[in-house]
Amino acid sequence: HCHSLVPIGVSCAGVLLESHVAFHTWPLEGVITLDLFTCGGGKLVPLMPLIERLFSVKQTPSEGENEEDIPEPTLLWAHKLRGFREGFAPGYVRTSNPLDEGLGWSVLG
């Protein structure tokens, strides 16, 4: 489901059972926010390089502007694991799940 924004941009959301994806764009500012949520066993962190390739697009130089003067895109990542804590399932041990640890520089670079 998508809505256009004024003057330009788009906000979209898609829901599949108990998972969702939503994004909002501000093209004039060169900004996109992306929210991915899944309750399934699939991990989203391994998708981060693909997301970066798809959405981290360098600006096109304006007339008279050199390409090397255009800054590289900035990516800010946030990660929150919801619902998976001690006792949520028999035998679950929080310390054995790498996503329960702080991602720190392993994700943010």
Side-chain angles (χ1 to χ4, degrees), residues 43-102:
K43 295 180 177 85
L44 295 175
V45 172
L47 295 175
M48 292 167 67
L50 174 62
I51 293 167
E52 184 172 350
R53 279 196 317 274
L54 292 173
F55 293 102
S56 180
V57 178
K58 195 169 181 177
Q59 289 181 325
T60 304
S62 301
E63 188 175 327
E65 194 173 27
N66 293 324
E67 187 170 339
E68 57 271 3
D69 294 334
I70 305 282
E72 291 295 322
T74 302
L75 297 161
L76 302 174
W77 295 101
H79 172 268
K80 179 152 178 115
L81 187 65
R82 298 181 183 149
F84 296 96
R85 299 293 182 252
E86 298 289 350
F88 96 96
Y92 178 78
V93 179
R94 188 175 143 241
T95 56
S96 67
N97 185 343
L99 295 180
D100 261 345
E101 301 170 7

Side-chain angles (χ1 to χ4, degrees), residues 13-26:
V15 178
L16 177 63
L17 296 176
E18 295 178 12
S19 302
H20 75 260
V21 60
F23 66 89
H24 312 280
T25 67
W26 293 270

